[in-house]
Amino acid sequence: MILVVAEKPSVAATIATVLGATQKGVNYIYNDKYIVSWCLGHLVTLDDPDMYDKKYAEWKFENLPIIPNKWSFTINKTTKSQFYVLKNLFLKNDVTEIVCATDAGREGECIFRYVYNMVGCKKPVKRLWTSSLESSAIKKAFAELKDDAEYDTLYQAGFARAKADWLVGINATRLFSIRYGITLNVGRVQTPTLAMIVDRNNKVKNFVKEPFYKVDIDCEDFKAVSVEEFKSEYEADKLAKCVDKSDFTVVDVTEQQKSVAPPKLYDLTALQRDANSIYGYTAQQTLDYLQSLYEKRLATYPRTDSNYITDDMADTAKSLIESVYGVYEKIPQTPTDVTKVINNAKVSDHHALLPTEQITSYDLSSLPTAEYNILFMLAVRLCVATGENYEYCIDVIKMKSDKSEMIFTNKVSFLEFCGWKEIDACVRSKSKSELEEYFNPNKAESQFVTVKKGQVLKKVPASVSEHFTSPPKQYTDATLLSAMETAGNTDYVEDSNVEKKGLGTPATRAGIIENLVKRQYIQRDGRKILPTEKGIQLIGCVPDDVKSPKMTAVWETALQHIEKGAASADEFMNQIEDSVKYLVDTYSEVDNSKHFTRWETVGICPKCGQKVLSYPKSYSCENKECDFVVWKNVRGKNLSVTQVVKLLTKGKTDTLKGLKSKLGESFDAAIKLNSDFKTEFVFSNSSKSKKSYRK
């Protein structure tokens, strides 16, 4: 018998169907050749510190650093019954071979091997490696099984990451919690990510807009502007007075032809960015929707960092494009070239995200809206990435006054060929004006005009225009993912061959963000991601060694190299241990210079005048005798600090979108305080119900 171990029951069921296994046991499926079971995520995890020594139950400086000589594991209590199911199957006498069919990545490899090692199994293991759960892909993967030993470096990288996170998380959390007398959760990747969010927030809050000036000339049929910007209004005014009512000569007229290649196929991070920008989905939501599509065999493996496919997939890609056209009438049919998305060197473990042929036989209308949208994005991107170049031209007119050497320019762009943008536009729900701007990459400074080189325009008036510098924007899921992806590598550009360093991996970034939300270090305000007072305080007290995105990005690169067999896991762990020892040696003393606010103040209680504090589940008055409370979770949506501040100061929040009724229907409403200081919904005129009612 061959035991096949998947990561989830749904995947196991799919594999069992392909293998013809239909008989059911207790949490496994079998026939006369195969037994198929599953893991339910991590059945086995690294031990807690007190399992190595009971003294570690106490948080004391003298107990740090905690660095196990030999790492040990424990069975996850919540899923231990499934562990024992697998243990019995691993050790079953008639099971002679095992197939690891967990998700094909670092995490999946660790999930399987932790159990295999904990059981003490010595039976030979093969590895099932597939990017799709379609029957044909699974059959092909079973025909190409490799010894699991060929994935040792993948396991080493995953295990090294887990140990590094444990070492930094356990030691730094205890160290700085003891140092400042309050629990501070510190993580190897989490804290540098938080540091970027706090830094961006500081830049936004401390931004002071600065004026700058340009000189404009009015040539009747068109306008032109000085090439140089002036920080001083006096200098701009001096130039304007110099050239005002003077004669301008056209010194150059050029036409610049521009051709823009299509964007690449989606990897997970790129999909998460676009899904956030287009639909407002968080990174975790997008991953969850994509995982569900994968398990329904409608999409390929989610946690990929590749934007390409391999040359042996060319015919598959062509067939898929035809299937997409057949399924989605909304997608315009244009010429495609699959060679644009083929690059064997850029595909390591998994190719780019794709829909599967299953879309032709599945009732897509039965999908939840969000899953339908994500699948539609994959289908559109396949056609976009293989589409024709987008082409436009820019006419540039350069002029000079007979009173000055300053060059004045007029630029106007013209669409020549929509190419891939015609396809891409169908996934972007934009107004007519927004779509026009989407097709016009360079905002015209004037309308089209015909002038010739050497032409002289007489007595052209000039004036000064004032402009202001723009503040940076707060992070969204989309922009934070981009920042995490390229952290530590200022030379990285999207189409370059420079290796991405980055914080985390495509598989872990969404979880890192959600963990920061869960621990109340960050919060969402609409699509904005903002640090809480708690998060700002944490970053204010930990040293650069802990919060440096650059250092963590270097570590992430080292893990990539371990995975590829180009670096030593032992050397990496030595660096982590040295870093932990240095932190403990340097910061093992109490620091009373920092004063922490346990609960963030969000405003003044309208009922009694004392402070309203942000607690884990509510915004409540600090006065225990006062019953004023606003719950954080409102009909499936989290109420942000920004909205609570508006509620407390103005008596009403903005309209909150996507609230859920008791029947599960979506609605939009604002929240206001009534005369009893209780919260009520207020519906806009466009809502089905125009009355307000108690929450």
Side-chain angles (χ1 to χ4, degrees):
M1 295 284 284
I2 298 173
L3 171 63
V4 181
V5 181
E7 193 163 318
K8 292 183 176 181
S10 58
V11 177
T14 300
I15 292 173
T17 300
V18 173
L19 297 176
T22 56
Q23 294 176 268
K24 293 185 178 180
V26 179
N27 287 6
Y28 63 90
I29 311 165
Y30 68 99
N31 59 14
D32 57 358
K33 184 177 180 182
Y34 292 99
I35 301 172
V36 184
S37 192
W38 51 86
C39 278
L40 291 176
H42 277 284
L43 299 178
V44 173
T45 58
L46 289 172
D47 262 331
D48 290 331
D50 57 357
M51 296 301 290
Y52 294 96
D53 193 319
K54 289 185 178 180
K55 72 177 182 181
Y56 293 140
E58 294 187 75
W59 290 29
K60 295 180 178 180
F61 282 136
E62 54 264 36
N63 287 341
L64 301 177
I66 305 171
I67 301 177
N69 290 321
K70 183 178 180 181
W71 291 86
S72 59
F73 295 83
T74 190
I75 300 165
N76 190 327
K77 292 179 181 178
T78 60
T79 54
K80 65 179 181 180
S81 61
Q82 186 59 21
F83 170 82
Y84 289 110
V85 168
L86 280 181
K87 180 178 180 179
N88 291 334
L89 294 174
F90 273 120
L91 301 178
K92 206 168 183 289
N93 289 333
D94 56 350
V95 169
T96 57
E97 184 179 299
I98 299 166
V99 174
C100 171
T102 49
D103 284 358
R106 272 188 214 167
E107 198 76 1
E109 194 67 25
C110 287
I111 284 172
F112 172 82
R113 293 209 192 191
Y114 290 171
V115 175
Y116 180 85
N117 294 337
M118 187 82 165
V119 168
C121 187
K122 302 296 181 183
K123 294 174 183 178
V125 179
K126 299 287 187 182
R127 192 36 156 128
L128 183 80
W129 196 268
T130 179
S131 291
S132 170
L133 291 179
E134 287 185 290
S135 297
S136 58
I138 292 173
K139 288 176 183 176
K140 185 173 184 290
F142 266 100
E144 298 173 350
L145 290 174
K146 295 180 180 178
D147 287 336
D148 199 37
E150 293 189 31
Y151 297 90
D152 282 352
T153 55
L154 183 71
Y155 171 66
Q156 288 165 11
F159 189 25
R161 183 197 64 79
K163 290 186 290 186
D165 288 347
W166 192 98
L167 285 173
V168 174
I170 293 293
N171 286 285
T173 292
R174 293 183 177 212
L175 175 67
F176 292 104
S177 295
I178 301 166
R179 179 173 170 85
Y180 295 108
I182 187 171
T183 301
L184 298 172
N185 300 104
V186 179
R188 185 182 63 88
V189 183
Q190 169 191 294
T191 304
T193 302
L194 175 60
M196 293 198 304
I197 297 168
V198 171
D199 180 61
R200 175 61 61 87
N201 184 63
N202 289 338
K203 288 177 179 176
V204 173
K205 286 198 166 186
N206 298 327
F207 176 80
V208 179
K209 68 177 181 178
E210 296 181 357
F212 63 93
Y213 306 88
K214 293 183 179 182
V215 178
D216 305 317
I217 58 173
D218 188 347
C219 304
E220 292 188 0
D221 293 332
F222 66 97
K223 298 181 185 296
V225 64
S226 59
V227 170
E228 186 175 338
E229 296 176 355
F230 299 90
K231 290 186 177 181
S232 162
E233 186 177 10
Y234 169 78
E235 291 296 328
D237 192 53
K238 190 164 72 171
L239 174 63
K241 287 177 178 177
C242 173
V243 301
D244 187 39
K245 302 291 175 56
S246 65
D247 295 344
F248 276 78
T249 302
V250 178
V251 295
D252 194 22
V253 178
T254 59
E255 184 181 87
Q256 301 172 1
Q257 295 290 332
K258 301 288 185 180
S259 183
V260 182
K264 297 190 283 287
L265 291 170
Y266 280 131
D267 62 10
L268 174 58
T269 303
L271 177 69
Q272 288 170 318
R273 288 199 304 256
D274 275 6
N276 180 250
S277 299
I278 296 169
Y279 296 113
Y281 301 151
T282 67
Q284 187 62 53
Q285 286 173 330
T286 299
L287 177 55
D288 291 344
Y289 302 146
L290 186 59
Q291 180 70 30
S292 179
L293 290 169
Y294 172 65
E295 292 174 20
K296 290 171 181 171
R297 296 179 286 165
L298 292 168
T300 56
Y301 182 71
R303 294 165 179 81
T304 178
D305 61 356
S306 177
N307 305 102
Y308 293 93
I309 61 174
T310 51
D311 52 17
D312 62 333
M313 296 179 65
D315 290 339
T316 300
K318 291 175 185 176
S319 175
L320 257 180
I321 292 169
E322 292 304 314
S323 296
V324 165
Y325 286 150
V327 171
Y328 297 101
E329 294 180 3
K330 188 178 178 181
I331 300 177
Q333 298 189 28
T334 61
T336 55
D337 178 6
V338 298
T339 61
K340 291 184 176 182
V341 297
I342 293 174
N343 188 334
N344 290 3
K346 292 289 183 92
V347 180
S348 52
D349 297 329
H350 298 284
H351 57 69
L353 290 168
L354 296 171
T356 70
E357 289 288 355
Q358 187 80 2
I359 61 173
T360 60
S361 56
Y362 197 96
D363 179 12
L364 300 185
S365 65
S366 68
L367 288 173
T369 300
E371 289 183 24
Y372 181 92
N373 290 341
I374 295 298
L375 186 61
F376 183 56
M377 289 180 70
L378 296 184
V380 168
R381 182 50 71 96
L382 173 61
C383 299
V384 165
T386 56
E388 297 174 291
N389 286 8
Y390 161 64
E391 296 176 356
Y392 63 96
C393 71
I394 302 176
D395 284 351
V396 182
I397 302 169
K398 294 183 179 180
M399 308 175 65
K400 191 167 70 172
S401 167
D402 57 4
K403 299 289 181 66
S404 170
E405 292 300 309
M406 175 64 67
I407 297 294
F408 288 73
T409 64
N410 168 279
K411 293 181 181 180
V412 60
S413 61
F414 301 95
L415 174 66
E416 292 196 329
F417 182 62
C418 290
W420 60 265
K421 280 202 172 187
E422 180 184 359
I423 313 166
D424 195 51
C426 70
V427 80
R428 301 178 186 275
S429 301
K430 293 179 179 288
S431 65
K432 185 177 179 182
S433 61
E434 287 175 324
L435 280 175
E436 287 174 355
E437 188 173 336
Y438 180 63
F439 285 108
N440 183 1
N442 291 276
K443 189 176 180 181
E445 293 175 2
S446 78
Q447 299 300 311
F448 174 73
V449 64
T450 302
V451 292
K452 295 181 179 179
K453 185 176 180 179
Q455 184 174 336
V456 178
L457 288 81
K458 299 287 187 177
K459 296 185 177 181
V460 177
S463 60
V464 174
S465 59
E466 185 178 31
H467 307 266
F468 292 93
T469 53
S470 300
K473 294 182 179 179
Q474 297 282 12
Y475 280 124
T476 62
D477 276 69
T479 56
L480 180 58
L481 286 169
S482 293
M484 292 175 74
E485 185 177 38
T486 59
N489 193 342
T490 54
D491 299 325
Y492 174 76
V493 292
E494 187 66 32
D495 293 317
S496 74
N497 288 319
V498 175
E499 183 175 29
K500 299 176 189 176
K501 288 187 172 68
L503 297 177
T505 66
T508 61
R509 288 179 189 125
I512 292 162
I513 296 171
E514 292 309 313
N515 207 30
L516 286 168
V517 173
K518 181 181 177 182
R519 288 177 168 170
Q520 298 187 316
Y521 289 123
I522 64 174
Q523 61 187 348
R524 287 190 171 88
D525 179 17
R527 296 190 186 184
K528 294 177 185 176
I529 292 178
L530 306 174
T532 61
E533 186 63 30
K534 182 180 177 184
I536 293 169
Q537 289 178 334
L538 172 61
I539 295 305
C541 73
V542 296
D544 288 342
D545 308 76
V546 171
K547 64 188 178 187
S548 166
K550 188 172 182 179
M551 173 58 73
T552 304
V554 169
W555 284 345
E556 290 295 331
T557 303
L559 288 169
Q560 292 174 29
H561 291 165
I562 293 168
E563 187 173 317
K564 295 171 184 174
S568 163
D570 289 340
E571 288 181 11
F572 170 77
M573 289 310 303
N574 287 338
Q575 291 177 13
I576 297 292
E577 290 178 12
D578 288 345
S579 177
V580 166
K581 289 173 183 175
Y582 170 78
L583 282 176
V584 172
D585 288 344
T586 309
Y587 298 101
S588 285
E589 59 182 8
V590 173
D591 183 350
N592 293 318
S593 66
K594 304 282 186 183
H595 298 284
F596 293 89
T597 304
R598 184 169 178 80
W599 308 116
E600 182 179 4
T601 301
V602 296
I604 302 300
C605 176
K607 193 169 184 179
C608 75
Q610 295 197 38
K611 293 177 182 178
V612 175
L613 304 179
S614 175
Y615 294 104
K617 294 184 178 180
S618 70
Y619 301 101
S620 304
C621 183
E622 66 175 347
N623 178 7
K624 301 304 180 185
E625 303 298 320
C626 180
D627 63 355
F628 179 78
V629 62
V630 177
W631 297 106
K632 286 190 171 180
N633 189 286
V634 181
R635 294 295 176 88
K637 298 282 285 189
N638 286 324
L639 195 61
S640 70
V641 170
T642 302
Q643 294 303 324
V644 172
V645 169
K646 289 183 179 181
L647 181 67
L648 296 175
T649 56
K650 300 179 180 179
K652 182 181 172 183
T653 68
D654 295 334
T655 298
L656 307 175
K657 297 184 179 295
L659 301 169
K660 295 292 183 183
S661 72
K662 291 179 180 178
L663 297 176
E665 296 176 349
S666 181
F667 68 96
D668 303 338
I671 296 173
K672 77 167 189 177
L673 294 176
N674 63 19
S675 58
D676 294 326
F677 305 107
K678 303 296 184 183
T679 53
E680 294 181 348
F681 285 127
V682 180
F683 298 92
S684 65
N685 292 333
S686 60
S687 298
K688 281 193 279 187
S689 172
K690 298 189 176 68
K691 65 181 180 179
S692 66
Y693 63 87
R694 287 285 298 275
K695 285 164 58 186

